[in-house]
Amino acid sequence: MNDRIMALYEMAFRDRYQESFEDEFQEFFSEIMERVHPDGDFVRVRPWGNVGDRKNDGYLISHRTVFAVYAPRRPTASGIRTKVETDFAECLPYWEEYLDRWVFVHNDREGLGPDALKVILEINAAQGDNVASPWGREALRKRVMDLDMGDLRSLFPNVPTFEDFIEVGLDQIQPVLDHLDRARVPARPDLRPVPEDKMEYNLLSDPTRSLITLGMQPAQLVRNYYRRVSDELLRDQTAQAFSDKYSELRQRGLSPDDIYWELRKWVGGSGASNPSREVGVYGVLTYFFEECDIFLRPERSSRP
């Protein structure tokens, strides 16, 4: 599969992984597993009457694996630790005869906390084998990105195609620009040409670079729009809003790729996503990246 198309699906996966919680995240996990393990090998386990689901959120028959899925909106260290402890303790008596592995699936973008990991290690020490293990973003991402295109399109129907980028017009760009009209008063913009090594300097990953490259076609429409309307104040206000948002995210200590993801969500707004709007968002992001309003400009004397 083309690297740029892969990058679009990686971004769509990140959206659902990091923005799904509770039952919605469990549904996402089940959709993935049913595609990775078709023909009924993965079985959803739903609560039933007073007995619930017997602490089993999904079962992989061929691997004799029970899954516990946990994605609270406001996780706490003590809450996750308790969840690991109680789910395994209550699962084992009912499923022990059919259980070789127990997997704790979570949606914490920053990884599993030390308290929860310690419980998993304690479970393995007590059971005398590597029975328990955690699955986070990377474990699910790898399984998703190994799917064929049909399954990816089914999981992420709003991902644009190459044709969407080629056929983009101002109709796709305008709603995104309208959303950005709330920008604040500008500072003086940096009008120097964009350095060729800006992506390398900012330590952006290959997938994020691919997304910036994909956005070049719609970015030209953004550039033409600002030339046509001849409204420097409007352009500069939006540029300053981008610069301020970037500075805020950088001060939070986010990685360059996480900053790009956050900017993409900010540009897209809270409206319903669809392929046309996604193309517009990528175009606007690439335009302001090329204009050096977001991310760092290389300085030959130092690195960030």
Side-chain angles (χ1 to χ4, degrees), residues 43 49 177 201 248 265 283 298:
V43 181
L177 294 174
Y201 182 78
E248 171 200 326
K265 302 305 294 182

Side-chain angles (χ1 to χ4, degrees), residues 32 96 107 115 163 197 209 277 286 289 304:
I32 293 171
E96 185 172 13
N107 75 332
D115 290 348
E163 289 74 19
D197 60 346
R209 296 185 199 184
R277 189 177 183 88
T286 294
F289 180 88

Side-chain angles (χ1 to χ4, degrees), residues 25-196:
F25 181 78
Q26 185 169 333
E27 173 66 21
F28 180 43
F29 167 74
S30 296
E31 288 178 21
I32 293 171
M33 295 300 290
E34 285 173 340
R35 287 167 173 80
V36 174
H37 301 279
D39 302 326
D41 191 22
F42 174 80
V43 181
R44 299 180 187 227
V45 182
R46 69 178 181 89
W48 188 269
N50 294 329
V51 302
D53 57 17
R54 302 285 190 181
K55 298 302 179 182
N56 184 342
D57 294 323
Y59 185 71
L60 188 57
I61 297 172
S62 61
H63 289 70
R64 292 169 49 89
T65 300
V66 172
F67 294 92
V69 181
Y70 188 57
R73 291 187 178 274
R74 296 177 179 84
T76 63
S78 60
I80 296 177
R81 178 186 176 93
T82 299
K83 179 68 174 176
V84 175
E85 288 176 333
T86 58
D87 269 30
F88 184 80
E90 295 177 22
C91 160
L92 196 60
Y94 194 82
W95 300 104
E96 185 172 13
E97 182 180 355
Y98 309 99
L99 186 154
D100 290 336
R101 291 189 65 205
W102 182 82
V103 177
F104 182 75
V105 184
H106 65 89
N107 75 332
D108 192 326
R109 73 169 80 177
E110 297 179 359
L112 200 64
D115 290 348
L117 176 59
K118 187 172 185 290
V119 175
I120 289 175
L121 296 176
E122 289 169 349
I123 290 172
N124 288 331
Q127 296 297 317
D129 202 354
N130 292 324
V131 172
S133 61
W135 279 12
R137 184 169 71 184
E138 183 58 24
L140 292 181
R141 186 202 68 81
K142 184 179 186 307
R143 286 163 173 80
V144 166
M145 301 314 296
D146 284 341
L147 294 172
D148 62 30
M149 181 56 73
D151 285 328
L152 287 174
R153 285 176 177 163
S154 178
L155 274 175
F156 310 110
N158 291 326
V159 170
T161 65
F162 262 142
E163 289 74 19
D164 292 321
F165 281 90
I166 293 171
E167 298 170 3
V168 62
L170 189 58
D171 288 345
Q172 286 76 50
I173 302 295
Q174 191 68 58
V176 181
L177 294 174
D178 291 343
H179 168 67
L180 295 173
D181 278 348
R182 55 189 174 79
R184 288 174 282 173
V185 177
R188 183 181 299 276
D190 187 346
L191 300 178
R192 292 173 292 168
V194 59
E196 294 181 359

Side-chain angles (χ1 to χ4, degrees), residues 259-273:
I259 289 175
Y260 181 88
W261 182 80
E262 293 283 358
L263 285 171
R264 175 176 158 271
K265 302 305 294 182
W266 177 73
V267 171
S270 58
S273 178

